Amino acid sequence: MTNNRNIQKGHDGPYKTPIILSEKIVLKEWIDYNGHMNVAFYTLAFDNSLDEFLENTLGIGETHALQNKQGPFVLQSHYHYLNEMSLDEKFNVRLLVVDCDEKKMHLCLDIFSIKQNKVIAVSETVLINVNLAIRKTEKYPIWAYNRLLKLKKTHQNGQFPSVLGKPIGLKK
């Protein structure tokens, strides 16, 4: 009988810069009364892609959370909507690791339209690792932290969007 706590998903690299997550398409129900993709579905696309990254690259996604009672909580997210997308438009979410420590990670994701060949939106997100049994933060497993460090080093010379780290507010 196998011990599920030893099942480890994800991989130790090599990693691409950026990580390109699975292709998606703008669905009819995502279109709002302005005739383009509604902001709520940009958030959904970013969140689903983040889950894919956590599960398949880092190995600390849903499977890890269910088996080990340890999972990622979002502390902060900041979105920039740069362009619009329409019905049936295909896109990818691309991801870069900006920074990390033993409990947190700072990620930059963008939505890249295949049809328009440009970035449509950018999400900057900070996550923290939480023990789900006691609802307190704790360190990532060492193997996951090592993956994060390797990703950070791999991505350090990546092309980060100019909006990364920008404060929110009205232009004066």
Side-chain angles (χ1 to χ4, degrees), residues 167-172:
I168 193 168
L170 302 179
K171 292 181 182 178
K172 304 273 185 205

Side-chain angles (χ1 to χ4, degrees), residues 50-110:
L50 181 56
D51 283 342
E52 179 185 340
F53 166 73
L54 293 169
E55 183 75 7
N56 298 333
T57 303
L58 283 182
I60 56 171
E62 183 178 7
T63 301
H64 177 77
L66 293 172
Q67 291 175 352
N68 298 290
K69 305 298 180 228
Q70 184 185 77
F73 281 27
V74 173
L75 290 176
Q76 183 178 16
S77 285
H78 191 183
Y79 300 95
H80 294 272
Y81 304 98
L82 308 172
N83 294 286
E84 58 184 339
M85 287 197 300
S86 56
L87 180 64
D88 296 330
E89 195 162 338
K90 293 179 182 177
F91 65 94
N92 293 99
V93 172
R94 306 179 306 179
L95 183 145
L96 293 165
V97 174
V98 179
D99 201 1
C100 64
D101 65 23
E102 293 176 322
K103 293 183 181 182
K104 297 181 294 300
M105 67 179 95
H106 178 188
L107 306 175
C108 180
L109 300 90
D110 69 32

Side-chain angles (χ1 to χ4, degrees), residues 11-76:
H11 62 93
D12 295 325
Y15 301 114
K16 293 185 179 183
T17 303
I19 292 176
I20 300 174
L21 299 157
S22 62
E23 185 176 288
K24 295 169 181 38
I25 189 166
V26 179
L27 303 174
K28 183 179 180 183
E29 56 269 23
W30 293 4
I31 303 298
D32 67 16
Y33 58 81
N34 290 315
H36 61 202
M37 185 166 145
N38 182 273
V39 296
F41 296 103
Y42 284 86
T43 301
L44 179 67
F46 281 127
D47 192 55
N48 287 342
S49 295
L50 181 56
D51 283 342
E52 179 185 340
F53 166 73
L54 293 169
E55 183 75 7
N56 298 333
T57 303
L58 283 182
I60 56 171
E62 183 178 7
T63 301
H64 177 77
L66 293 172
Q67 291 175 352
N68 298 290
K69 305 298 180 228
Q70 184 185 77
F73 281 27
V74 173
L75 290 176
Q76 183 178 16

Side-chain angles (χ1 to χ4, degrees), residues 114-147:
I114 295 165
K115 175 184 172 185
Q116 299 179 56
N117 194 34
K118 65 181 173 182
V119 174
I120 303 298
V122 175
S123 171
E124 185 173 1
T125 303
V126 175
L127 296 100
I128 193 162
N129 194 50
V130 174
N131 178 312
L132 301 175
I134 60 172
R135 313 308 268 193
K136 300 281 185 194
T137 64
E138 67 183 17
K139 292 180 181 180
Y140 292 113
I142 191 67
W143 52 265
Y145 183 51
N146 286 336
R147 289 175 180 174

